[in-house]
Amino acid sequence: MKNWNTKKISSAIITKLIIVLYVINFQFRYSKCLEFRDILPEDAKQYDKMRPPKIDGTATKVHFHVTVMGLDSIDENAMTYAADIFFAQTWKDHRLRLPENMTSEYRLLEVDWLKNIWRPDSFFKNAKAVTFQTMTIPNHYMWLYKDKTILYMVKLTLTLSCAMNFMIYPHDTQECKLQMESLSHTTDDMIFQWDPEVPLVVDENIELPQLQLVKNQTADCTQVYSTGNFTCLEVIFVLKRRLGYYLFHTYIPTCLIVIMSWVSFWIKPEAAPARVTLGVTSLLTLSTQHAKSQAALPPVSYLKAVDTFMSACTVFVFMALMEYCLVNIVLGDSDMPPKPLNKKSFNFSFRSNLKLNDGHPIPPPPRPPPQATAAALAATTALAQRNRTRAINIDRFSRVFFPLLFAVLNMTYWVIFARFL
């Protein structure tokens, strides 16, 4: 009985060892590393990596998917912006072979194999610089699906050009594009198409300091060149400028400078230094404010909305300074005190020694009567008072006219651009 149990245990151990060895042998046979020749046709010479995998002469379709993770560094002066994206391309290459015993839905391939198989020759049409991410490993991979579809995904940081129009700046809305075009294949050989399920994904948490991403869409930008039609796809970002910064740093300070120039209307006309200093200071401050508002923009040849507003405010400040010139002209010299009569009478004693031909002395000149002097002084004082009254009336009119006209200007300006807010 004891020997029978020992044999039974030994046979069980042997059976288990056989099973373990079989599993190890199976894993050794089918877990070997996949090599590039394993996915090429049996006759590798039949595979031409320069020829698209066309079926029955139909152009190869390449589907694109773009995931936008960030938009930043928008530079109006250079007309550029930066974008962080995941860029995916999928296409079918029926000439390839599937690896043996491929049980999963897809197989991860070495990215270096892309150099030896056909791949789309897409490039970013409006890119000025492209940065490939390599931390902590190169950020790209390639999958091979069971239906011989190849997926290539890469993470890139792009610096792209964006043609901007500043005609209604800072109420403008800009359209910045991300364009992908074929470099050497015409539409007879290859066609780019957006992924039918999820063509574009944009991170909802994208936040820009002065612009707001209000809309994004995909479009086709296929263009005709002298050598043929080249397929092209584009992503359009609609960016609307936020007005808050410019409201508190440009518009409100400018209005306060204009209002400050009106203080001279309440200063008496005789205070020339105070009124001239206030007008010139306001004009110089407004010029500095205008130059500051243009610092971040390129020197365009057309008139912008902010230029119109700032120029109108400059005219108001200049008109306030010219108003005092008119007041000063009306006031004339009447604000100066009348010249006092010289109390020291001229000594005519020497005339007594002079004689006419007949021997009689020369009589002294006649003196004006006191009544005539008083009348002339009264007339001068009345004229000065009348001129001063006219000058004060001009100031009083300006106190109402300038604010009213400036209010009309602001209402007109903001009504016109209200639809862009």
Side-chain angles (χ1 to χ4, degrees), residues 101-248:
N101 300 317
M102 181 175 173
T103 57
S104 59
E105 185 67 21
Y106 61 88
R107 180 70 181 266
L108 184 65
L109 304 181
E110 293 187 21
V111 180
D112 290 340
W113 293 358
L114 276 175
K115 299 177 182 178
N116 300 315
I117 64 174
W118 182 87
R119 59 182 295 184
D121 58 345
S122 57
F123 73 101
F124 295 97
K125 186 177 180 180
N126 60 327
K128 290 191 172 183
V130 179
T131 303
F132 176 69
Q133 303 291 338
T134 58
M135 294 296 292
T136 55
I137 59 173
N139 295 174
H140 60 164
Y141 61 86
M142 182 172 65
W143 288 354
L144 176 63
Y145 289 88
K146 283 185 176 181
D147 60 351
K148 298 184 180 180
T149 297
I150 297 177
L151 165 67
Y152 176 62
M153 178 78 78
V154 59
K155 184 178 183 295
L156 301 170
T157 299
L158 308 172
T159 301
L160 304 159
S161 63
C162 178
M164 302 182 184
N165 188 305
F166 301 105
M167 188 74 73
I168 58 173
Y169 176 90
H171 313 281
D172 55 326
T173 299
Q174 305 293 343
E175 288 189 357
C176 293
K177 299 180 180 180
L178 169 61
Q179 296 179 325
M180 298 151 288
E181 188 174 83
S182 172
L183 182 63
S184 60
H185 293 296
T186 63
T187 52
D188 296 333
D189 295 330
M190 182 177 61
I191 297 176
F192 290 165
Q193 293 181 348
W194 286 109
D195 188 276
E197 297 180 359
V198 186
L200 176 66
V201 175
V202 179
D203 188 359
E204 297 179 353
N205 298 322
I206 292 178
E207 192 70 24
L208 299 171
Q210 295 186 13
L211 294 167
Q212 180 183 3
L213 181 61
V214 296
K215 184 181 179 182
N216 54 79
Q217 60 186 9
T218 58
D220 188 281
C221 58
T222 300
Q223 193 169 351
V224 180
Y225 296 93
S226 59
T227 53
N229 296 356
F230 289 83
T231 182
C232 176
L233 296 178
E234 64 181 3
V235 181
I236 302 175
F237 303 106
V238 180
L239 303 170
K240 181 177 177 58
R241 197 172 303 278
R242 303 177 191 267
L243 191 61
Y245 173 83
Y246 303 93
L247 193 64
F248 289 102

Side-chain angles (χ1 to χ4, degrees), residues 354-405:
L354 300 177
K355 296 182 180 181
L356 297 175
N357 295 332
D358 56 1
H360 293 84
I362 298 177
R367 296 179 180 274
Q371 295 82 359
T373 303
L377 182 60
T380 304
T381 304
L383 179 61
Q385 186 63 31
R386 186 166 57 252
N387 290 343
R388 190 177 190 279
T389 302
R390 290 177 181 175
I392 292 176
N393 288 336
I394 294 175
D395 279 342
R396 289 175 178 173
F397 173 77
S398 300
R399 295 172 191 174
V400 178
F401 176 74
F402 275 76
L404 183 61
L405 190 60

Side-chain angles (χ1 to χ4, degrees), residues 337-363:
K339 295 181 180 180
L341 295 176
N342 191 0
K343 297 182 181 179
K344 297 181 179 179
S345 57
F346 193 76
N347 186 8
F348 293 99
S349 58
F350 71 95
R351 296 175 66 95
S352 58
N353 298 325
L354 300 177
K355 296 182 180 181
L356 297 175
N357 295 332
D358 56 1
H360 293 84
I362 298 177

Side-chain angles (χ1 to χ4, degrees), residues 41-66:
E42 293 182 359
D43 186 2
K45 294 181 179 180
Q46 295 180 356
Y47 188 88
D48 185 0
K49 67 177 183 178
M50 301 301 296
R51 183 169 55 89
K54 300 168 63 175
I55 300 178
D56 298 331
T58 305
T60 303
K61 294 181 180 179
V62 181
H63 292 92
F64 281 21
H65 167 82
V66 175

